[in-house]
């Protein structure tokens, strides 16, 4: 068996309600990393996710590559979205307990973004508790020292939107690979992960209820999704 936190990026979308209903049915509590521009378009879906117990993290306003932005632009992307997330919690009538941030595309360049990391720390952002993450790659990259939330396993299922040669079976086969690019295997006995799926209606148009298919599949193969726990960097 292995364990993982489930994170879902880029929503809210037209399928967020279906996703959260499915996850609730399976007893999985996710962290959704929403973009500000999608919150503006689908406020009600965001409120619904919170009411159903999801935790909402910040995935920037317009999903730019932060490596190409100035520090001021990075902060502005975060703050615009923070306001929208606060509004979602207010509308849902829930207290927001945690502030989390994930870089679009995972483009984080830790060494060059010390000031941005300091900013996150000062703003009391926390991260998913990654003290027991088993990924060698995660350790090597020094991800434990960042306030932002990365991942150790990405299904990369969104690629199916543009790559017509890629199939559902290819993505399933990838789950069983011992080394997938830079991440360690999701199914390794005793391993612990931060798992990434995307909240994309475009993927759903290619594989209906893809989130259910992938998550049911990995749970059947021994992955247990655990309640999110958090950690502050001092
Ligand atoms: Zn994203």
């Amino acid at each position: 068996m292995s364990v993982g936190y489930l994170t879902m990026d880029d929503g809210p979308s037209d399928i967020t309600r279906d996703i959260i209903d499915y996850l609730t049915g399976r007893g999985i509590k996710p962290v959704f990393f929403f973009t500000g521009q999608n919150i503006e378009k689908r406020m009600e879906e965001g409120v619904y996710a919170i009411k159903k117990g999801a935790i909402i993290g910040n995935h920037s306003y317009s999903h730019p590559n932060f490596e190409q932005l100035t520090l001021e632009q990075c902060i502005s992307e975060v703050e615009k979205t923070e306001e929208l997330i606060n509004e979602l919690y207010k509308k849902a009538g829930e207290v927001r307990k945690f502030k989390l941030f994930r870089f679009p595309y995972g483009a984080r360049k830790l060494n060059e973004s010390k000031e941005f990391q300091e900013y996150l720390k000062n703003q009391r952002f926390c991260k998913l508790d990654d003290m027991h993450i088993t990924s060698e790659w995660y350790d090597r990259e020094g991800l434990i020292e960042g306030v932002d939330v990365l991942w150790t396993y990405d299904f990369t299922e969104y690629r199916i939107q543009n790559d017509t040669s890629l199939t559902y079976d290819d993505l399933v086969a990838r789950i069983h690979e011992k080394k997938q690019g830079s991440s360690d295997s999701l199914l390794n006995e005793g391993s612990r992960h931060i798992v990434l799926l995307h909240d994309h209606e475009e993927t759903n148009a290619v594989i209906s209820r893809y989130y259910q298919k992938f998550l049911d599949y990995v749970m059947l193969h021994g992955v247990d999704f655990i309640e999110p726990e958090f950690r502050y960097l001092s």
Side-chain angles (χ1 to χ4, degrees):
M1 212 181 76
S2 60
V3 295
Y5 300 120
L6 179 65
T7 65
M8 298 207 61
D9 284 8
D10 303 341
S13 76
D14 286 349
I15 61 166
T16 302
R17 281 172 197 260
D18 292 339
I19 293 174
I20 193 76
D21 284 345
Y22 158 73
L23 294 175
T24 306
R26 294 302 310 251
I28 302 172
K29 188 166 179 167
V31 178
F32 278 100
F33 285 94
F34 285 163
T35 65
Q37 62 185 8
N38 283 342
I39 294 174
E40 282 176 341
K41 278 187 239 163
R42 298 188 187 84
M43 209 71 172
E44 290 312 311
E45 283 76 2
V47 169
Y48 186 82
I50 293 171
K51 282 186 172 166
K52 289 276 186 162
I55 291 157
I56 310 304
N58 185 326
H59 195 39
S60 82
Y61 180 78
S62 61
H63 208 276
N65 182 338
F66 272 50
E67 291 172 6
Q68 292 160 0
L69 302 186
T70 64
L71 179 63
E72 275 173 20
Q73 288 170 325
C74 293
I75 291 174
S76 156
E77 282 278 334
V78 173
E79 291 190 343
K80 259 163 101 174
T81 305
E82 277 304 293
E83 281 178 25
L84 288 160
I85 294 174
N86 288 337
E87 203 179 321
L88 283 183
Y89 273 87
K90 210 169 154 190
K91 283 194 169 164
E94 297 277 342
V95 177
R96 186 179 179 201
K97 295 190 189 127
F98 304 103
K99 291 167 71 170
L100 299 137
F101 175 76
R102 173 172 278 163
F103 286 100
Y105 313 105
R108 59 196 303 283
K109 271 206 333 196
L110 182 67
N111 296 331
E112 285 89 337
S113 70
K114 283 228 166 72
E115 287 161 310
F116 183 68
Q117 291 283 348
E118 280 302 313
Y119 162 80
L120 292 178
K121 233 187 258 182
N122 292 337
Q123 295 294 315
R124 297 300 290 158
F125 276 80
C126 63
K127 67 193 303 194
L128 278 167
D129 185 1
D130 55 357
M131 292 309 279
H132 304 288
I133 291 296
T134 52
S135 162
E136 283 170 29
W137 166 78
Y138 195 91
D139 287 346
R140 210 165 46 235
E141 294 291 315
L143 299 174
I144 200 114
E145 290 161 26
V147 185
D148 61 294
V149 181
L150 208 72
W151 57 81
T152 62
Y153 186 79
D154 177 0
F155 282 94
T156 71
E157 82 293 345
Y158 59 87
R159 293 183 299 145
I160 214 156
Q161 293 169 25
N162 298 314
D163 182 352
T164 49
S165 67
L166 187 69
T167 66
Y168 170 73
D169 289 341
D170 294 334
L171 293 167
V172 167
R174 207 177 151 272
I175 297 167
H176 291 271
E177 283 169 18
K178 284 285 171 228
K179 282 273 173 195
Q180 315 131 43
S182 48
S183 303
D184 299 21
S185 175
L186 178 60
L187 303 180
N188 271 359
E189 184 64 31
S191 59
R192 193 177 184 100
H193 298 270
I194 300 171
V195 177
L196 166 60
L197 261 179
H198 300 78
D199 177 357
H200 287 180
E201 63 218 25
E202 297 86 350
T203 301
N204 205 50
V206 183
I207 307 172
S208 179
R209 298 184 72 81
Y210 65 92
Y211 46 88
Q212 175 172 357
K213 290 192 170 92
F214 286 119
L215 295 176
D216 280 352
Y217 186 89
V218 298
M219 284 189 278
L220 200 62
H221 286 79
V223 178
D224 184 21
F225 288 99
I226 54 173
E227 178 108 359
E229 286 183 43
F230 304 93
R231 178 166 86 84
Y232 286 89
L233 272 76
S234 50

